[in-house]
Every structure is written in structure tokens, then in C-alpha cells.
Amino acid sequence: QKEVEQNSGPLSVPEGAIASLNCTYSDRGSQSFFWYRQYSGKSPELIMFIYSNGDKEDGRFTAQLNKASQYVSLLIRDSQPSDSATYLCAVNMRAGGTSYGKLTFGQGTILTVHP
Amino acid sequence: GAGVSQSPSNKVTEKGKDVELRCDPISGHTALYWYRQRLGQGLEFLIYFQGNSAPDKSGLPSDRFSAERTGESVSTLTIQRTQQEDSAVYLCASSPQTGTGNTIYFGEGSWLTVV
């Protein structure tokens, strides 16, 4: 089982729709969770992070975390063609007594928003 | 500078040559990562430095790959006897690792082509 799993997609949604991106992780002790966006040929850039169960909203983006189910998701409301990119889920895996372990990334989900 | 700086931005080398890639993290960031990303693929973890702890080298694909970091500053990734399958973008990232702040920030990458 991969440590962080994402559906590779591609996920295609029409402009204005809600895009839902999902991620599961294997380490129940994971502490912090991140969503990055990567445009083709560019480096990943941070969209959001979440540490606590529940929802966290930032503009058109909502991150949802369910630690019991080991599941984190990203919702993009009113999707725009400019949202077309690869979305990477990253999880801070435990590291034996230290406060933070290394971030582990999923393989990414390709999102295409069509006009 | 304000961000993670990597050099060279592009490197073309002949098969069998050694290459060195450099990363200057954000000042004050104690954690530093190297990732590899082949064309159209996800992020592949290579190595993780955290302060004075022993680095996590679990992602290095072979003994041709090595990395060093001087204190909490510059890191160098060295690839010996390069092979064509080493062609990829090599991404460096750093993180403050303080409080709840373990967000990582990426450089623009070093694009390596082995011919």
C-alpha cells in the first residue's frame, strides 16, 4: 500500500462546477496535510494546509480532513480553466519522536476544467 | 533572496559524466528536501535533511546519488556517472519546521538532460 494515494485522473469538470480531489494516507499518526498545485513545467505551489478534523475554507478552496478515515480532500468551487493543473496531496508522516517527519507526496491528480 | 534558489536551472550533460546541483534554502529553514520528477510523473522523494539529525537517504535510487548539506544552509546533490534515466527535474524544497509551520516551499528546479 502506498503511503499517500491519489486517483491519478484525469478529472474533467466543466467551468463553474465543483471539482473534488481525494487523498488517503496510511500512517494514522500523521499530523499535517497539504494540498499543492503544479502547473505543467512549473514547481508545486502551496494551496492549503489543514491540521484538524473538519473543513477549512480559503476562497474557492475547501480542504476536508477525516483522521478516523485517514482521508483528506480538496474541493474547488466555481472551477475555472486556470485551475487546470496537477494537484498534489502531501502528508507529514510520523518520524519516531521528533515533532515533524518528512512530507510524503501522492502521485497527483490531473484536473482539467473545460469551458 | 526570499525563495529557494537552485542552480543550474538547466544542465545538459553527456552520459557517464558527474553533475552537481545546488540548492540555497530560505534563510532560517532547518529542513531541506530533494525530489526528482521525471516528465509527466509524480514527485519522487530522494533525501531529507532536518537540522543536525542524520539525513533520511531512503529515497536515493542508487549509490551514484549523494547529497550533502552544510549546517542549515546550502545543499549539493551529486549524481555520478550519469545515465539517461537520470534525466528529470530535480526539485529542492525547504521548511521552517517550527510550531505548526512545516509547510515546504519549492525552488524552480534544476532541469537535467543526459544525452
Side-chain angles (χ1 to χ4, degrees):
Chain A
Q1 180 188 7
K2 292 180 181 177
E3 293 177 303
V4 181
E5 291 204 56
Q6 295 180 254
N7 188 324
S8 62
L11 173 66
S12 181
V13 300
E15 185 173 358
I18 296 175
S20 178
L21 303 158
N22 305 315
C23 174
T24 58
Y25 58 94
S26 61
D27 187 344
R28 187 170 289 278
S30 298
Q31 300 171 341
S32 47
F33 309 85
F34 302 81
W35 283 100
Y36 284 79
R37 175 175 61 197
Q38 187 176 27
Y39 292 113
S40 181
K42 299 294 186 181
S43 297
E45 56 180 343
L46 179 71
I47 300 174
M48 294 187 69
F49 58 84
I50 186 168
Y51 300 131
S52 303
N53 275 327
D55 295 358
K56 179 181 179 182
E57 188 174 320
D58 183 0
R60 296 187 295 112
F61 299 95
T62 299
Q64 298 175 318
L65 175 61
N66 184 327
K67 290 186 177 181
S69 299
Q70 295 174 236
Y71 175 93
V72 57
S73 64
L74 180 70
L75 301 177
I76 307 174
R77 290 182 300 281
D78 188 24
S79 296
Q80 301 296 308
S82 59
D83 295 326
S84 298
T86 299
Y87 288 80
L88 299 163
C89 171
V91 176
N92 167 231
M93 313 298 279
R94 264 183 304 187
T98 59
S99 296
Y100 296 109
K102 69 176 187 279
L103 279 189
T104 299
F105 282 83
Q107 286 298 102
T109 298
I110 299 170
L111 172 66
T112 301
V113 181
H114 53 86
Chain B
V4 177
S5 178
Q6 293 188 244
S7 62
S9 54
N10 284 284
K11 175 74 175 178
V12 179
T13 190
E14 292 181 351
K15 178 181 174 181
K17 300 285 190 183
D18 296 352
V19 296
E20 279 191 357
L21 307 176
R22 176 189 168 102
C23 174
D24 276 288
I26 295 171
S27 179
H29 282 195
T30 60
L32 185 148
Y33 299 76
W34 283 99
Y35 293 90
R36 178 171 71 179
Q37 189 171 34
R38 293 193 172 105
L39 191 63
Q41 302 297 309
L43 291 175
E44 180 184 2
F45 167 76
L46 296 178
I47 189 168
Y48 164 62
F49 297 91
Q50 171 49 43
N52 294 319
S53 301
D56 179 346
K57 303 180 180 181
S58 59
L60 293 177
S62 76
D63 59 8
R64 296 188 296 105
F65 287 73
S66 62
E68 294 183 347
R69 187 181 186 193
T70 306
E72 294 183 351
S73 62
V74 171
S75 175
T76 302
L77 177 69
T78 301
I79 308 172
Q80 296 178 310
R81 306 181 302 282
T82 51
Q83 303 295 314
Q84 288 185 329
E85 62 263 27
D86 299 334
S87 296
V89 60
Y90 289 82
L91 290 163
C92 178
S94 70
S95 170
Q97 298 284 73
T98 58
T100 57
N102 66 333
T103 302
I104 71 171
Y105 301 89
F106 286 87
E108 292 301 310
S110 290
W111 295 76
L112 175 66
T113 303
V114 182
V115 297

